[in-house]
Amino acid sequence: MTRINFPVPVLRALVLILFISCTGLAAHSQKGPQLVNLRCDNATNPLGIDASNPQFSWEYTSAARNFRQTAYEVIVAESPEKLAAATATWTSGKIESSRSSGIVYQGPALESRKKYFWKLTTWSGKTEIKPAANADFEMGLLHQSDWSGDWVGFPSGWIGRVHYFRRVFHFGKEVAKARAYMAGIGYYELEVNGKKVGDHVLDPATSDFSKRVYYSTYDIKPFLTKENVLVVAVAPGWYGMPKLRMQVEITFADGTQEIINSTSVRNVTLGPVISAGILDGEAYDARQEKPEWNLPSDTIIHGLPNQTWGVAPVVEPPGGIMSAAQLEPIKVVESFKPVSVKEVLPGVYVFDAGQNMAGWAKIRVKGTKGEKITMKFSETLYENGTVNQENLRTAFATDTYIMKGGDTEEWEPRFTYHGFRYFQVEGLKTKPSLNDYTVRRVRSDVEPAGKFNCSNDLLNRINQMVARTEASNLHSIPTDCPQRDERMGWMNDLTVRIEQAVYNFNLHRLYAKFITDVGDTQGKEGDIKDTAPYKVGGVPADPVSASFLLLASKSYEYYGNTEIITQHYTKMKGWVDFLDSRSKDGIVEYSYYGDWSPPAEFGQKGAAYGAISVNTPGPLMSTGYYYYTARLMSEMAAVVGKTADQKKYADMAATAMKAFNDKFWDEKVGGYGSNNQSCNSFAVFLGVVSKDRLPRVIDNLVKNVEQYNYHLTTGNLCTKYLLEALTENGRGDVAFRIATQTTYPSWGYMLEKGATTLWERWEYETGGSMNSHNHPMMGSVGSWLYKYILGILPDVASPGFDKFTIRPYILSGLDFANGEYKSVKGLVKSSWRKINGSVVMDITVPANSVATVYIPTKDAASITANKKKITGDKSIRFLRNEGESAVYEVGSGDYSFTSKW
């Protein structure tokens, strides 16, 4: 090895360079708090919003403990230059607050089509913090008068077919900006010059088209050349008859503009999608593909109309206002291979996706021209291994592909989706390979929010089953099922589903959209309907539909969204006032579903699929929810400063509470109603049980659970309240035994029977009745895992996780639990484990948040924080001792507590 001798001055210089480099890296790794995830209306740099008062939010990353924002300022301007020059459209001014979500724009009216830029400055004490880059948002078409084009279609023929609308356009000038505002109902896809625009599928979002039609905004500038052709395929979807309304606005560098609207799109024809139905599936004939459509010329059309091309007339509008789709679009969110394929009969191949889900299959095949392949989808199989579609009822759920022949062909549907685990392929001339079939998971592209894991693998599998079921039922509305002839937004299910869903996914935008859909069902007397958008169900809705108010209340609690309360305040009042009008002496008698679908032996035989509870009175449930909604209305009135309403609904709730106790309390037995699990747990959840009665009620609740060998007897609603009432009142051990059962009825029983998603009933049923195998209404156990095992709870007094609680219940059946929740402040982590007579509890509090932490302990003096006596850490504030916990307040950062247990 050759040795190099450097002169001393050179060595000194090298040492200095090394020192500067190392200290620079150290300084870089110890950066102060950073602003991240700047959002407008809960989206990053959104395009085409129509909120008149959009909301701003942001998060921080910070390695330092106890970081707290003390002030913020938001500035909005029409250009980056005006932002820099401080010639703003609006400034919030410097606001002394730790809030970092739900900051409402309060400036001059925003203008259609205009792009706005916003910058943020925050402070922590005297330290000023700015993000690495500013953010922006662009408005859509804010006024109905902004739409210049009519609705077009082809109503006189081609019924039930997909219609293809085509328009050629040319220009010789440089394009500065190009936007396409699109609404094709039921579903549509836009192509420009042969390329699909965007990655949305099943657009637009579902709505009551007579009240509201959602449109999407696309930036199509990257797709344009001097000569262009636009093709829009419109399928019947939920509407039934394809109709198109669109507006393409092209702004040139010289300031001039060209508008191409739907009224000018007159060429319409049929194409390779020969049928498409949400329920029945899609049929595609590749022989009908027309590559020449993508040529930017009308010379391919010889005379109009002719045998191929028709003239698209102006058609009757659906009736609804045009609204921007301010929610995550439906997308293909995951692709994976089936786990197996079997030839169950000669030429009949059944693929197993390995899990029940929502989406479709993508195929890769090679064959002769005209060769037809069919794919039938199902959740279950017959004994001979073929697909069992009986529980789909009238849904055909079959996709068909006809080959064009020649090279290998790839295809997937565009205007349908299926709920399935299995798909049966017929018509192949050769045996298929797993590699030639891809399972495509399709849902609203909402961000996953939670993770859960514990020492009991059954609970982990239950959690996965719940999350998978929820994911299968997010298709611009929270549906009840993804497979049969229904797929609707049932309000009664949602009442107990909301919290579970919020822990699993970020539903800030989807819920803000869906509450609008619910409001669109409202009648003149304030009544809402059982489903939204309304298709079937009771009118008025069952009183258990507290979900209307919970959509707003929980969005405020979890996301810090005050505006959702303000926007829907009048309609929510209308629903509560309607229930009040149907009450007599504080009791609401009418009921359709109540605690729906308990185990079969507790259901009414021969009526409503046997799903109405025999032992849980409908009026008890209806009156309880009347009280609950009045209380929620009072609380939300306080949030928005409506003091008169706050008192009005508090008084209404007090009247209902008294009536509930007077009518349904049974002093002799010490319980409510029939003294069953549903009646008593519901009363405890509502908080209507007095302190002197509570021990008797809990005792009766436990005895009833023991009577049924630690199995539940509840339906979709009271299952949630059963676990929570027991856990909060010192009997978490009983709740745990219920949750971990593997015999009927239980979640474990579903898993033992091969379920990968939740069933609609506690029983395993496959016939053509109420037998969905992908139904989230029984999934409230999911929120129990996050709220009680991990102990992650928002604080409604400091919404949006400005302050929150971590209070895990250390149950004897568990050795450890860990998980996280992605809040609007950042990632919350909670974990605990038992080690040699101690509990070690590790938590993460996100920057700009404060947590109240319940440290489980048998000896408060034994508690250490990060291996040091907790009393020596001045950044941790002792609050009180409560039960078997010592309660502390901590700021942001990572903490590890150890205590005797």
Side-chain angles (χ1 to χ4, degrees), residues 489-751:
W490 279 93
M491 299 297 292
N492 64 327
D493 295 357
L494 194 62
T495 292
V496 292
R497 174 181 167 188
I498 286 175
E499 279 192 324
Q500 165 273 117
V502 164
Y503 279 110
N504 279 302
F505 296 98
N506 178 357
L507 298 175
H508 199 165
R509 302 180 79 204
L510 191 147
Y511 278 175
K513 179 265 183 186
F514 186 64
I515 194 174
T516 301
D517 296 334
V518 178
D520 282 346
T521 74
Q522 192 162 54
K524 293 180 180 179
E525 295 183 1
D527 55 297
I528 60 171
K529 299 177 176 62
D530 270 338
T531 58
Y534 180 66
K535 299 189 187 311
V536 299
V539 181
D542 191 298
V544 303
S545 301
S547 48
F548 186 20
L549 277 71
L550 287 169
L551 286 164
S553 175
K554 294 301 177 183
S555 291
Y556 171 72
E557 188 175 351
Y558 281 81
Y559 304 132
N561 188 347
T562 306
E563 194 70 3
I564 195 171
I565 297 175
T566 303
Q567 290 174 353
H568 301 281
Y569 187 83
T570 300
K571 289 195 172 186
M572 291 189 294
K573 274 184 59 177
W575 172 232
V576 180
D577 289 345
F578 173 80
L579 291 178
D580 185 56
S581 73
R582 294 294 298 267
S583 69
K584 183 178 180 181
D585 299 326
I587 300 296
V588 176
E589 292 283 349
Y590 89 91
S591 171
Y592 315 140
Y593 316 112
D595 190 27
W596 181 251
S597 197
E601 67 177 292
F602 305 104
Q604 294 181 17
K605 304 298 187 288
Y609 307 101
I612 296 176
S613 175
V614 172
N615 299 320
T616 306
L620 180 146
M621 298 300 297
S622 294
T623 302
Y625 279 110
Y626 164 50
Y627 158 76
Y628 187 36
T629 53
R631 193 186 82 196
L632 286 171
M633 200 67 236
S634 177
E635 292 168 356
M636 287 190 283
V639 169
V640 296
K642 306 280 189 180
T643 53
D645 280 348
Q646 180 184 359
K647 183 180 186 306
K648 170 187 172 180
Y649 292 105
D651 291 345
M652 187 185 295
T655 299
M657 178 194 287
K658 183 178 185 304
F660 184 94
N661 277 291
D662 289 347
K663 184 172 181 66
F664 299 112
W665 171 252
D666 186 334
E667 176 62 28
K668 184 176 180 181
V669 299
Y672 286 84
S674 64
N675 199 35
N676 69 352
Q677 293 176 20
S678 294
C679 294
N680 283 332
S681 64
F682 186 42
V684 173
F685 164 77
L686 291 173
V688 300
V689 186
S690 61
K691 288 183 179 180
D692 60 311
R693 292 175 175 175
L694 185 60
R696 296 180 68 193
V697 174
I698 297 299
D699 185 56
N700 277 325
L701 192 56
V702 171
K703 286 179 179 177
N704 190 275
V705 172
E706 291 172 343
Q707 178 185 343
Y708 290 97
N709 197 22
Y710 293 91
H711 288 81
L712 47 73
T713 63
T714 48
N716 66 337
L717 301 177
C718 292
T719 294
K720 173 181 171 66
Y721 309 139
L722 174 64
L723 296 181
E724 295 189 359
L726 289 167
T727 308
E728 289 184 7
N729 289 278
R731 298 311 308 263
D733 58 321
V734 177
F736 178 80
R737 290 189 65 173
I738 294 170
T740 53
Q741 286 290 344
T742 58
T743 54
Y744 170 83
S746 67
W747 296 282
Y749 175 75
M750 295 183 191
L751 290 167

Side-chain angles (χ1 to χ4, degrees), residues 277-317:
I278 297 168
L279 306 178
D280 290 341
E282 185 170 318
Y284 188 94
D285 187 347
R287 299 171 300 177
Q288 303 301 317
E289 292 176 348
K290 301 292 189 293
E292 64 270 21
W293 285 359
N294 297 322
L295 298 174
S297 170
D298 276 332
T299 58
I300 66 168
I301 302 174
H302 303 289
L304 189 68
N306 56 41
Q307 287 186 327
T308 303
W309 290 90
V311 176
V314 172
V315 296
E316 183 178 351

Side-chain angles (χ1 to χ4, degrees), residues 366-399:
K366 187 174 184 178
T368 59
K369 185 176 182 178
E371 196 173 325
K372 184 169 75 171
I373 300 168
T374 61
M375 293 182 288
K376 298 178 180 179
F377 295 82
S378 76
E379 297 184 303
T380 60
L381 301 174
Y382 287 114
E383 289 187 3
N384 69 355
T386 59
V387 294
N388 180 353
Q389 293 186 312
E390 290 179 20
N391 72 320
L392 309 188
R393 303 191 301 212
T394 62
F396 195 48
T398 300
D399 291 341

